[in-house]
């Protein structure tokens, strides 16, 4: 029957996270006391607990917190070797030192076979110094092994969840890979082994020839300076597909020389294609404004759909008197009409024109099941049919069509709606109509934000583009102020597009973080805003991990919102009261889990606080309705939260929370 466990000599040392906890098992009480005294004196940070036999030692070991076991060999009941075997069953890696007065080659051989970490005979004071040194070394090796295993586990978890590819390669072209991990085959089409064995050369076999020179120059500069580099370029996958990738790499230096490059690649094809389409929209929007006639507007629409949006557009029909006059189509569409049986116009009565006229009269889009026969169905019931006719208000219709039922995905549908709405606005030379500012559905979290973007952008562009077109037409007759007004309307359109681009990009999950001091960021953002005499007070010590450029957009938009809406109340106030209670100060301060931006203006009524984040919603006559929608998108992309409340002065307070503070 064992006698129990003796607590460590120092309670303070026992709770020290830097201490080295040793369990000494020996049936000789005087030797336990002597060993503890020597080990705690000779070994830095060593704290010793003792047990009189193997049974007591096993009980203490199960409680946890022991870094090393030092055990005698000859003990009643269970000797040191049997105790070692029991320990190894449940704790195969904990350091175990056999410290015995009886030494022999036979005992040493058995101990080694059983998995002992070290073997040492008892002796004078010098042996205790040796014991302390061996215990320290054994624990350090064990801790290093555990740390390495944990690091490898974390890296493996990272690779399993990483959406791209990580690598280590040579610093010179063709950048042969010594290691690749992550979703290598999903990204490149090649198995990791093919890249690591050199069967596929990254530089020669994957990188698009047109982009190879620029990438090589970037990498060469990084190797020369020892600094990291970033690049976006195209690759050729194993099956010949072209993809856009974003890469960040860092030169690895050993003994003053760059010996390798380590980094990662992420597939950004979808983002690049989306941004290219949006840039194309902005380009042909300018062309619409410059068009000199109604027919010119329609021609631009055809070219935009065919070349920029990659949509199969079969034509635009404008209303001229009591007929719908077709506009010539581009060569690509003409070839499709001539070669695809579904589009051959063999009917001398041109039944399709009757269908087009019906759509114009009803003012509702129709899906064409068979262009040749003119059979149609409701678009809502058959969204994947072979063609869609879109009305252009009082101006006519335009037709998108495809022989492939799957040619129109959700993104194409959204871009078609932008095309229809903007063409309609450009055709409306008077700038009048039933335009009303309102809200659009909240943008979802599935990464595809073009649907809401289409509705808001198309709606908001109608007036400024129409105004611009009307004034430019009058400018040809009168000149002067009409040109100025037109330029202002065009600039207004550009602001809307810039905000829409920010919205489309804002919701991407943030992956590049850096330390950002809120006070410094706020000062810089304030300098970029027209503040209209309002003062800024910053009372923040917060430092956060964030994407600096995108967080700047958040703060700038909140500042602009305070300035633009500071004298516009959503409460029930008389106009004079609203003017008197306009914002005079904007404050930035800290929260327990984030920071806030507030003003002392009229504030936002509780019933409207959720609506202000909706894309397209604004109470300001000149507002785009994008600003606070962009704020929410970027905040949520960081994994944070944003809500609106009331400041101490009764104004609006935007609280950004769930922010890890540094």
């Amino acid at each position: 029957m064992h006698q129990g466990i003796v607590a460590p000599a120092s309670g303070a040392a026992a709770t020290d996270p830097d201490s080295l906890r040793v369990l000494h098992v020996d049936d000789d009480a005087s030797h336990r006391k002597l060993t503890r005294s020597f080990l705690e004196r000779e070994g830095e940070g060593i704290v010793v607990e003792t047990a009189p036999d193997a049974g007591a030692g096993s009980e203490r070991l199960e409680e946890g917190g022991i870094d090393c076991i030092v055990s005698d060999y000859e003990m009643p009941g269970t000797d040191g070797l049997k105790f070692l075997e029991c320990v190894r069953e449940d704790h195969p890696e904990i350091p175990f030192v056999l410290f015995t007065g009886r030494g022999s080659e036979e005992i040493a051989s058995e101990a080694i076979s059983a998995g002992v970490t070290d073997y040492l005979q008892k002796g004078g004071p010098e042996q205790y110094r040796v014991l302390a040194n061996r215990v320290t070394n054994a624990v350090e090796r064990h801790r290093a092994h555990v740390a390495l295993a944990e690091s490898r586990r974390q890296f493996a978890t990272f690779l399993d969840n990483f959406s791209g590819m990580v690598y280590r390669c040579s610093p010179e072209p063709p950048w042969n890979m010594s290691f690749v991990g992550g979703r290598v085959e999903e990204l490149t089409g090649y198995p990791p082994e093919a890249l690591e064995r050199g069967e596929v050369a990254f530089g020669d076999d994957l990188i698009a020839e047109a982009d190879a020179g620029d990438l090589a120059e970037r990498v060469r500069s990084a190797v020369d300076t020892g600094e990291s580099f970033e690049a976006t370029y195209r690759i050729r996958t194993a099956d010949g597909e072209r993809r856009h990738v974003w890469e960040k790499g860092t030169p690895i230096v050993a003994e003053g020389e760059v010996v390798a490059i380590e980094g990662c690649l992420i597939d950004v094809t979808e983002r690049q294609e989306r941004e290219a389409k949006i840039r194309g929209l902005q380009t042909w929007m300018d062309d619409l404004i410059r068009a000199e006639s109604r027919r010119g507007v329609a021609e631009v629409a055809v070219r935009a759909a065919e070349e920029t949006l990659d949509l199969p557009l079969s034509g635009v029909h404008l209303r001229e008197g009591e007929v719908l006059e077709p506009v010539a189509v581009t060569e690509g569409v003409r070839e499709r009409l001539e070669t695809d049986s579904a589009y051959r116009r063999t009917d001398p009565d041109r039944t399709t024109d009757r269908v087009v006229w019906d759509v114009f009269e009803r003012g509702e889009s129709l899906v064409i099941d068979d262009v040749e026969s003119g059979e149609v169905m409701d678009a809502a019931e058959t969204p994947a049919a072979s063609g869609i006719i879109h009305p252009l208000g009082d101006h006519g219709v335009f037709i998108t069509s495809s022989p492939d039922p799957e040619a129109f995905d959700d993104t194409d549908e959204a871009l078609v709606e932008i095309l229809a709405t903007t063409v309609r606005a450009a055709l409306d030379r008077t700038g009048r109509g039933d335009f009303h500012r309102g809200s659009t559905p909240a943008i979802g979290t599935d990464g595809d934000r073009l649907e809401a973007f289409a509705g808001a952008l198309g709606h908001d562009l109608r007036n400024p583009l129409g105004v611009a077109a009307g004034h430019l037409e009058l400018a040809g007759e009168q000149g002067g102020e009409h040109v100025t007004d037109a330029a202002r309307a065009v600039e207004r359109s550009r602001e809307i597009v810039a905000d829409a681009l920010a919205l489309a990009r804002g919701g991407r999950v943030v992956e590049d973080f850096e330390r950002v001091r809120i006070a410094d960021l706020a000062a810089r953002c304030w300098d970029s805003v027209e503040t209209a005499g309002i003062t800024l007070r910053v009372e923040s010590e917060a430092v956060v991990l964030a994407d600096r450029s995108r967080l700047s957009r958040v703060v700038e938009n909140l500042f602009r919102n305070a300035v633009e809406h500071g004298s516009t109340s959503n409460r029930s106030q008389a106009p004079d009261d609203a003017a008197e209670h306009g914002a005079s100060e904007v404050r930035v301060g800290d929260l327990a889990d984030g920071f806030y931006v507030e003003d002392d203006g009229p504030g936002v009524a509780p019933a409207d606080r959720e609506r202000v984040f909706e894309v397209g919603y604004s109470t300001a006559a000149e507002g785009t309705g994008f600003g606070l929608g962009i704020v929410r998108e970027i905040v949520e992309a960081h994994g944070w939260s944003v809500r609106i409340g009331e400041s101490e002065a009764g104004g609006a307070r935007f609280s950004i929370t769930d922010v890890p503070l540094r």
Side-chain angles (χ1 to χ4, degrees):
M1 185 173 183
H2 60 76
Q3 303 171 17
I5 300 171
V6 179
S10 170
T15 60
D16 183 353
D18 295 327
S19 64
L20 190 160
R21 307 293 297 278
V22 174
L23 175 62
H24 180 216
V25 182
D26 197 309
D27 63 320
D28 188 330
S30 61
H31 194 265
R32 293 199 303 270
K33 181 177 181 181
L34 180 63
T35 301
R36 183 174 68 188
S37 298
F38 266 103
L39 286 180
E40 292 185 345
R41 187 186 74 178
E42 298 294 337
E44 182 177 356
I46 291 181
V47 177
V48 179
E49 297 185 33
T50 62
D53 53 42
S58 295
E59 290 181 7
R60 175 60 190 90
L61 185 60
E62 292 308 313
E63 295 176 8
I66 297 299
D67 297 305
C68 181
I69 298 172
V70 175
S71 177
D72 189 17
Y73 170 66
E74 291 185 333
M75 294 185 293
T78 302
D79 63 26
L81 287 180
K82 291 181 180 178
F83 179 41
L84 170 61
E85 292 174 357
C86 292
V87 169
R88 284 291 175 253
E89 289 180 3
D90 296 324
H91 306 278
E93 296 183 355
I94 190 170
F96 191 109
V97 178
L98 196 62
F99 188 47
T100 177
R102 178 184 174 188
S104 71
E105 292 184 3
E106 181 181 354
I107 294 175
S109 176
E110 288 184 39
I112 292 172
S113 299
V116 74
T117 305
D118 212 333
Y119 174 86
L120 186 66
Q121 282 189 278
K122 297 178 181 178
E126 182 60 34
Q127 286 297 87
Y128 289 102
R129 296 189 186 96
V130 173
L131 176 62
N133 183 57
R134 292 190 180 183
V135 165
T136 300
N137 290 341
V139 171
E140 288 179 351
R141 288 195 302 270
H142 175 62
R143 287 177 173 174
H145 175 73
V146 170
L148 178 60
E150 176 62 14
S151 177
R152 287 174 174 169
R153 185 198 65 76
Q154 292 177 351
F155 184 63
T157 300
F158 165 76
L159 288 184
D160 288 342
N161 292 279
F162 183 55
S163 61
M165 158 185 159
V166 297
Y167 68 85
R168 180 183 176 95
C169 71
S170 62
E172 300 294 335
W175 305 300
N176 293 322
M177 300 289 171
S178 56
F179 167 79
V180 290
R183 301 184 181 181
V184 180
E185 191 160 2
E186 182 179 325
L187 178 64
T188 68
Y190 296 102
E193 300 79 11
L195 289 164
E196 292 176 343
R197 290 195 297 258
E199 298 169 4
V200 176
F202 186 84
D204 294 340
D205 298 326
L206 269 80
I207 299 173
E209 185 176 351
D211 297 340
D214 179 66
L215 178 61
E217 183 59 34
R218 287 174 182 260
V219 176
R220 187 180 305 112
S221 176
V223 170
D224 292 342
T225 61
E227 299 178 351
S228 298
F229 70 91
E230 295 183 27
T232 300
Y233 55 91
R234 291 162 294 179
I235 63 171
R236 300 181 300 269
T237 65
D239 58 4
E241 181 184 357
R242 291 294 182 101
R243 291 185 181 175
H244 291 266
V245 297
W246 172 85
E247 176 182 359
K248 183 168 186 177
T250 302
I252 305 302
V253 180
E255 298 181 356
E257 294 185 5
V258 175
V259 296
I261 296 175
E262 294 180 351
C264 65
L265 287 89
I266 299 174
D267 189 342
V268 294
T269 304
E270 183 178 347
R271 185 191 75 189
Q272 291 290 109
E273 291 177 348
R274 182 187 299 120
E275 292 180 356
K277 286 184 176 181
I278 294 174
R279 287 193 299 270
L281 293 177
Q282 186 172 3
T283 299
W284 63 255
M285 189 168 58
D286 293 338
D287 291 342
L288 284 174
I289 295 174
R290 289 192 295 267
E292 298 179 353
S293 66
R294 292 160 56 84
R295 179 176 292 275
V297 170
E299 296 280 5
V300 171
V302 173
R303 188 174 70 253
E306 178 70 10
E307 300 175 1
T308 306
L309 303 180
D310 194 27
L311 295 175
L313 185 67
S314 66
V316 174
H317 293 245
L318 299 180
R319 183 182 183 186
E320 300 291 347
E322 293 301 317
V323 299
L324 288 174
E325 180 182 355
V327 173
V329 297
T330 61
E331 192 61 34
V333 173
R334 186 185 306 282
E335 181 179 350
R336 188 154 46 233
L337 294 176
E338 292 174 352
T339 58
D340 293 339
S341 59
Y343 301 118
R344 291 190 186 128
R345 312 270 174 132
T346 57
D347 185 350
D349 296 329
R350 298 177 68 97
T351 308
T352 303
D353 286 346
R354 176 184 57 78
V355 177
V356 169
W357 182 262
D358 184 51
V359 171
F360 170 73
E361 288 292 305
R362 292 174 54 185
E364 299 176 1
S365 294
L366 283 180
V367 174
I368 308 172
D369 182 51
D370 187 336
V371 174
E372 185 173 340
S373 68
E375 295 181 4
V376 298
M377 289 167 287
D378 187 288
E381 297 178 358
T382 315
S386 60
I388 305 176
I389 305 178
H390 304 263
L392 292 173
D394 294 334
H395 308 291
V397 299
F398 79 98
I399 307 171
T400 56
S401 50
S402 169
D404 181 1
E406 298 181 356
F408 285 95
D409 58 21
D410 292 340
T411 299
D412 290 333
E413 295 266 359
L415 292 173
V416 166
E417 186 57 34
I418 296 175
L419 176 65
T421 307
T422 308
V423 171
R424 184 163 56 245
L427 287 167
D428 187 358
R429 299 306 229 185
T430 66
R432 300 172 183 171
D434 59 349
F435 170 77
H436 297 284
R437 176 171 299 285
S439 61
T440 60
I443 296 178
T445 58
D446 59 357
D448 185 3
R449 291 167 170 77
L450 282 177
E451 184 172 1
F453 164 63
L457 180 61
H459 215 192
D460 283 11
L461 281 177
R462 180 177 182 181
N463 260 17
L465 284 176
V467 170
H471 281 294
L472 286 174
E473 188 170 289
L474 292 174
E477 304 171 4
Q478 302 173 18
E481 64 181 11
H482 294 294
V483 175
T484 302
D485 290 341
R488 186 180 298 113
V490 171
E491 182 59 31
R492 172 74 173 146
S493 301
R494 294 183 184 278
E495 290 175 2
I496 293 171
V497 172
D499 276 350
L501 284 170
L503 179 65
R505 297 167 179 162
R508 295 199 306 269
V509 175
V510 174
E511 295 179 338
D512 293 330
F513 291 88
E514 60 179 299
R515 289 170 58 88
V516 179
R517 187 176 298 278
I518 295 298
D520 296 341
L521 183 75
R524 284 194 294 271
C525 291
W526 189 254
D527 290 339
S528 67
V529 176
E530 293 289 341
T531 57
I534 299 176
T535 60
L536 173 69
R537 182 150 57 104
V538 180
E539 300 173 338
S540 172
E541 300 294 332
V543 177
V544 304
L545 286 179
D547 183 314
R548 183 182 298 274
S549 64
R550 292 163 78 181
L551 183 56
S552 295
R553 188 61 183 256
V554 168
V555 176
E556 288 176 7
N557 282 12
L558 291 178
F559 285 166
R560 289 192 180 97
N561 181 77
V563 172
E564 294 173 2
H565 297 269
S567 60
T568 303
S569 176
N570 285 326
R571 303 174 181 173
S572 297
Q573 290 182 344
D576 291 342
D577 291 337
E580 291 176 2
H581 293 84
S584 61
E585 182 180 72
V586 175
R587 293 179 57 202
V588 179
D590 293 337
L591 299 171
D593 60 344
F595 61 95
Y596 65 83
V597 176
E598 67 178 21
D599 60 59
D600 56 359
V604 179
D608 293 332
R609 288 175 182 171
E610 185 60 27
R611 291 188 65 202
V612 299
F613 292 111
E614 295 177 355
V615 179
Y617 178 82
S618 176
T619 60
E622 294 299 319
T624 67
F626 284 106
L628 294 182
I630 293 170
V631 167
R632 181 164 65 178
E633 287 292 292
I634 296 177
V635 166
E636 292 181 351
H638 280 80
W640 308 340
S641 301
V642 60
R643 66 180 183 275
I644 186 172
E646 184 172 312
S647 68
E648 294 180 1
R653 168 184 277 207
F654 290 87
S655 299
I656 298 177
T657 57
D658 301 326
V659 181
L661 302 178
R662 298 293 163 183

